[in-house]
Amino acid sequence: MTHALVRRGTPADLPFMLDMLYEAATIGWVLSSEAPPPKADVLAHPSNRHYTEGWGRRGDTAIIAEDEAHQPLGAAWYRVYTLNDRGDGIVAWPGAPEVAIGVCPEARGAGIGRMLLDALAQAARDSAYARLVLSVDPRNPARRLYERCGYRVVPEGGPHAGTSLIMEFLL
């Protein structure tokens, strides 16, 4: 594993979080060797914009992984939605935070994702949440990471999930 440290994110980390959201949202194109759409187009899509728009509201929590030189390697964060204002992963649990995560391509496979998810789960426990949820494309290799970290597929993801799998982690 790359030597990395994690810290709590702040609103000043939003530009990096947007970079990581783009990385996560375009993995399907990367896997198919197709060129992904422009970053501005991907981040403007409502299903992606939801993860960062107005970042810093009550309940927003982020973890940033950095190397020894304080260069960011990845970010994981969650937001809490209501049933009328939710991301793709919220199934039927108002108050269950929805997770987003991205790791820089050059840092993948080095344990950064695991480190981020573990620290984010601890932050959620500290805030007395009962579970975390996320949505993932079934072809995304990160699904194996989520399973190793204890996330399980929710059998009935609901129509809002589209082709994504909904996964939950009980805290």
Side-chain angles (χ1 to χ4, degrees):
M1 173 164 57
T2 299
H3 181 63
L5 303 171
V6 294
R7 63 171 175 79
R8 279 291 186 112
T10 69
D13 292 306
L14 184 58
F16 179 67
M17 292 166 58
L18 289 168
D19 289 344
M20 294 300 92
L21 183 59
Y22 178 74
E23 290 294 330
T26 58
I27 194 70
W29 284 280
V30 172
L31 293 173
S32 67
S33 300
E34 294 179 40
K39 182 178 175 182
D41 293 350
V42 171
L43 295 179
H45 192 278
S47 66
N48 293 326
R49 203 174 59 233
H50 209 74
Y51 290 101
T52 56
E53 193 170 62
W55 181 261
R57 67 187 188 192
R58 183 182 163 111
D60 288 351
T61 300
I63 304 293
I64 307 296
E66 298 177 333
D67 66 14
E68 302 87 3
H70 302 288
Q71 292 300 309
L73 301 170
W77 63 96
Y78 63 69
R79 299 191 98 170
V80 179
Y81 303 98
T82 65
L83 287 177
N84 295 327
D85 172 36
R86 63 183 182 196
D88 290 338
I90 297 299
V91 180
W93 306 298
E98 184 175 353
V99 173
I101 182 172
V103 175
C104 294
E106 63 274 10
R108 292 182 187 151
I112 302 302
R114 173 91 193 208
M115 184 182 297
L116 287 165
L117 289 173
D118 288 349
L120 195 64
Q122 186 58 54
R125 279 186 203 95
D126 292 346
S127 294
Y129 290 113
R131 65 175 41 93
L132 294 170
V133 295
L134 59 80
S135 62
V136 63
D137 184 308
R139 301 166 297 158
N140 188 332
R143 178 182 173 188
R144 290 187 299 278
L145 167 66
Y146 304 146
E147 290 169 341
R148 285 193 308 272
C149 288
Y151 283 80
R152 298 292 172 246
V153 173
V154 176
E156 297 295 326
H160 62 279
T163 60
S164 294
L165 298 173
I166 304 302
M167 300 182 81
E168 72 172 334
F169 178 71
L170 300 176
L171 296 166

